[in-house]
Amino acid sequence: RLSDAEETIVFGLRLPAVLPANGDLNVQVTAPEADRLDLIAQQLYGQASGWWALADVSNLIDPLAGVTTGLTLRAPAAGRLPS
């Protein structure tokens, strides 16, 4: 386990900055044009930069290829995102 001033690293991977919690929303991807995490984050949080929180909490290994129509994502409440 390594760490620096910003974050803790485990075997070269960043630990999730946002962990799953009871108040998380379940969001189902229903349209092919909305199958990008940045677009979903924009709709949920008003900012596309929240995409990584969706990937972390939903345990997506490859956020670029891991979102398909019909997938249910776990979305942290907007107030739990680091500013």
Side-chain angles (χ1 to χ4, degrees), residues 57-78:
V57 174
S58 298
N59 292 319
L60 294 178
I61 304 282
D62 183 352
L64 298 177
V67 181
T68 57
T69 301
L71 176 71
T72 299
L73 296 170
R74 189 170 185 158

Side-chain angles (χ1 to χ4, degrees), residues 13 17-18 22 28-29 32-33 53 61-62 70 74:
L13 300 175
V18 180
N22 289 338
Q28 186 168 22
V29 179
E33 64 273 7
I61 304 282
D62 183 352
R74 189 170 185 158

Side-chain angles (χ1 to χ4, degrees), residues 41-55:
Q42 179 67 40
Q43 184 177 5
L44 289 173
Y45 307 125
Q47 57 184 2
S49 61
W51 70 267
W52 59 269
L54 291 171

Side-chain angles (χ1 to χ4, degrees), residues 16-40:
V18 180
L19 298 173
N22 289 338
D24 291 344
L25 305 171
N26 289 318
V27 177
Q28 186 168 22
V29 179
T30 58
E33 64 273 7
D35 64 354
R36 289 183 16 209
L37 289 179
D38 60 330
L39 298 177
I40 297 167

